[in-house]
Amino acid sequence: MVNYKEVKAEIISIGDELLYGQITDTNSQWISQELDKIGVRVVHRSTIGDNRDSILAAFADAEKRADIILITGGLGPTNDDLTKPLLAEYFGCGIEMVPEALEAVRTFFEKRGRELTELNRFQAHLPTKCNYVPNDLGTAPGMWFEENGKKWMSMPGVPHEMKNLMTQHVITKIRSLFTLPNIYHKVIKTVGIGESWLADLIKDWENNLPSHIKLAYLPSLGQVKLRLTAFGEDPIDLQNDVENEIEKVKPLIEKYIYGYNKETLEETVGRLLKQKDKKVSLAESCTGGYISHLITSIAGSSDYFQGSMIPYHNTFKNKLLGVENEILETYGAVSEPTIIQMAENIRKKFNADFGLASSGIAGPGGGWAEKPVGTVWIACAFEGKTVTKKLQLTQDRMLNIQLTAVAVLNLLRLSILEKTE
């Protein structure tokens, strides 16, 4: 049996432009995903500006926490690029020209018909304690250090250069130096239940999970993801162990589970409609076409999506959709009687099996004491039945639109299952 110990990594992103928000740090997320695939756990990620003391402090902290420290950014040839000289300072060594690196930089510029300037020649000057790692896609080489039992890699911040270095060199190097565990993830995707209620339902199951399987709650807009992560030696055993635990928890929360891993709610709804050979149409007021956008973002949605209307003004709810003026005047656009007629009439108008409707006060204005901002009614009509639901959401307009869309799609999901059982 192979023995392994947990290998920890830290990612340090360097550059004022990251702190100012001028550039989004996509590198750290990508590196974390790649390390996870090979069984290395990222324990810390930090973003540091172009400041000597801050960078040196980040190096020292990372060395205490991690076995592998991966650094991106700050490798340009200008004075504000501090990573290379500060690595030399941190490891107590000088900086010298590396002939192989100089030739690579020279070739890089020659292929592009450009002159190799003195400033660019400086890219070939590296700390004497590092191993030169060629960068096939740029002028800043990678630098690999091994000090005090820790492994360090410094890479350019340009994403395609960093990814190439990681893929071609770093991952291979890490695999050769460490005995790594296998990691297996599976995500259970739920909708229609809050995190705390979900946790209460499954607390006994969670407390009895095997020690090599960890559970994480990942809440998002109107949904909660349950990520199961298993660590071990045999990937087949890990997958089987996780699947067995899922089978144990499913009876407790099956009505809230809509999919697994990367499946979206709109994909699930589309799959169900296809399987049952059913059609859907929508009447959207407060969501302004957002739900239709989600449904039609799925390839093949023309097989089940009949069409939609956005009758925003009451005049068109009446004239185009057929909602009775008496209903609108008596109860208002944001009401159960109105949403019922919207859902039933859109279903008939588009000859669909399911008619969906949304009407609400998205905000930030337009609310009052009886119907504050965030009040939304939704409905799903199908043969012989119309299901409605009142939502009390937030003060944020876009958030209300997104939450309403999730609620409508889930109402459709549940209605399909009820109708076709």
Side-chain angles (χ1 to χ4, degrees):
M1 177 176 271
V2 177
N3 293 315
Y4 62 86
K5 77 176 190 69
E6 184 178 59
V7 178
K8 300 176 182 178
E10 176 149 350
I11 303 167
I12 302 174
S13 305
I14 297 176
D16 284 340
E17 66 276 12
L18 299 171
L19 293 178
Y20 296 155
Q22 296 167 337
I23 294 177
T24 301
D25 177 19
T26 59
N27 287 344
S28 294
Q29 180 185 18
W30 186 87
I31 293 171
S32 293
Q33 292 172 339
E34 295 305 301
L35 292 177
D36 177 73
K37 291 176 184 177
I38 63 169
V40 174
R41 187 163 76 92
V42 175
V43 295
H44 197 270
R45 299 194 322 204
S46 57
T47 303
I48 311 297
D50 297 312
N51 176 274
R52 173 187 177 276
D53 293 341
S54 297
I55 293 172
L56 290 174
F59 290 169
D61 290 340
E63 186 172 2
K64 295 173 188 174
R65 281 188 290 252
D67 306 295
I68 303 165
I69 299 96
L70 301 177
I71 305 161
T72 64
L75 294 184
T78 56
N79 290 333
D80 62 332
D81 292 302
L82 302 176
T83 303
K84 184 162 55 178
L86 290 179
L87 281 168
E89 180 178 342
Y90 188 78
F91 291 119
C93 65
I95 292 179
E96 293 181 357
M97 191 271 287
V98 176
E100 188 181 357
L102 180 60
E103 185 58 30
V105 175
R106 189 193 312 280
T107 301
F108 182 89
F109 281 100
E110 284 180 354
K111 284 182 177 179
R112 288 155 181 80
R114 294 163 57 190
E115 181 185 356
L116 178 63
T117 66
E118 195 59 36
L119 191 61
N120 287 317
R121 287 174 62 90
F122 183 68
Q123 293 286 60
H125 289 69
L126 305 177
T128 57
K129 284 193 175 181
C130 84
N131 291 321
Y132 161 68
V133 182
N135 175 7
D136 302 329
L137 304 180
T139 62
M143 296 178 288
W144 179 272
F145 299 83
E146 295 191 21
E147 289 285 317
N148 302 320
K150 304 300 176 78
K151 319 302 178 187
W152 300 69
M153 179 65 175
S154 177
M155 297 172 284
V158 180
H160 72 275
E161 295 181 32
M162 176 277 297
K163 290 179 180 180
N164 186 62
L165 284 167
M166 282 288 298
T167 303
Q168 299 299 320
H169 300 281
V170 179
I171 297 298
T172 302
K173 188 76 169 175
I174 291 172
R175 284 184 181 275
S176 71
L177 292 171
F178 296 94
T179 301
L180 300 170
N182 281 293
I183 297 179
Y184 178 75
H185 295 293
K186 185 154 185 179
V187 176
I188 306 171
K189 306 189 93 169
T190 72
V191 64
I193 185 170
E195 181 181 9
S196 58
W197 287 273
L198 184 60
D200 190 56
L201 281 178
I202 63 173
K203 61 184 179 183
D204 291 336
W205 169 80
E206 181 181 356
N207 291 335
N208 287 294
L209 283 172
S211 60
H212 67 292
I213 299 179
K214 306 299 181 186
L215 175 68
Y217 292 82
L218 308 173
S220 57
L221 285 176
Q223 306 180 39
V224 181
K225 293 178 281 189
L226 300 173
R227 187 189 66 215
L228 286 162
T229 302
F231 301 84
E233 294 167 10
D234 188 317
I236 301 301
D237 286 346
L238 296 180
Q239 182 174 346
N240 290 336
D241 291 346
V242 168
E243 294 298 333
N244 287 337
E245 292 303 322
I246 290 174
E247 288 304 310
K248 292 178 186 176
V249 78
K250 274 172 64 175
L252 303 174
I253 57 171
E254 192 155 20
K255 67 179 179 179
Y256 304 111
I257 297 173
Y258 73 82
Y260 299 90
N261 294 332
K262 295 184 178 181
E263 187 172 16
T264 65
L265 187 52
E266 49 269 30
E267 286 174 331
T268 297
V269 165
R271 174 173 49 79
L272 288 172
L273 288 167
K274 273 188 172 183
Q275 286 175 352
K276 309 295 183 180
D277 193 24
K278 303 297 182 182
K279 313 292 184 184
V280 66
S281 57
L282 287 91
E284 299 190 58
S285 186
C286 64
T287 46
Y290 183 71
I291 306 170
S292 299
H293 155 70
L294 291 177
I295 290 176
T296 56
S297 69
I298 305 304
S301 55
S302 58
D303 291 341
Y304 50 81
F305 182 68
Q306 298 288 77
S308 65
M309 293 177 61
I310 309 173
Y312 226 64
H313 195 280
N314 282 358
T315 298
F316 303 103
K317 286 184 176 71
N318 169 249
K319 289 187 175 181
L320 298 181
L321 192 53
V323 178
E324 297 171 14
N325 274 326
E326 184 179 353
I327 292 290
L328 290 166
E329 291 168 1
T330 304
Y331 300 101
V334 184
S335 66
E336 185 174 34
T338 294
I339 204 72
I340 288 173
Q341 289 203 347
M342 289 176 66
E344 292 177 349
N345 292 355
I346 199 69
R347 174 177 173 266
K348 294 172 186 175
K349 188 173 284 290
F350 282 83
N351 192 30
D353 300 286
F354 296 91
L356 302 175
S358 65
S359 185
I361 304 167
W368 66 97
E370 185 181 341
K371 295 180 182 179
V373 170
T375 303
V376 178
W377 277 96
I378 63 174
C380 180
F382 48 95
E383 186 178 355
K385 189 173 184 179
T386 299
V387 183
T388 65
K389 187 173 184 179
K390 184 180 181 182
L391 310 174
Q392 295 292 167
L393 303 176
T394 74
Q395 298 293 304
D396 183 273
R397 183 177 184 82
M398 195 61 223
L399 185 56
N400 289 340
I401 290 171
Q402 292 170 325
L403 289 170
T404 300
V406 170
V408 169
L409 290 173
N410 190 46
L411 187 59
L412 174 59
R413 179 183 72 89
L414 295 173
S415 299
I416 296 169
L417 295 174
E418 177 184 338
K419 168 68 177 169
T420 55
E421 279 180 350

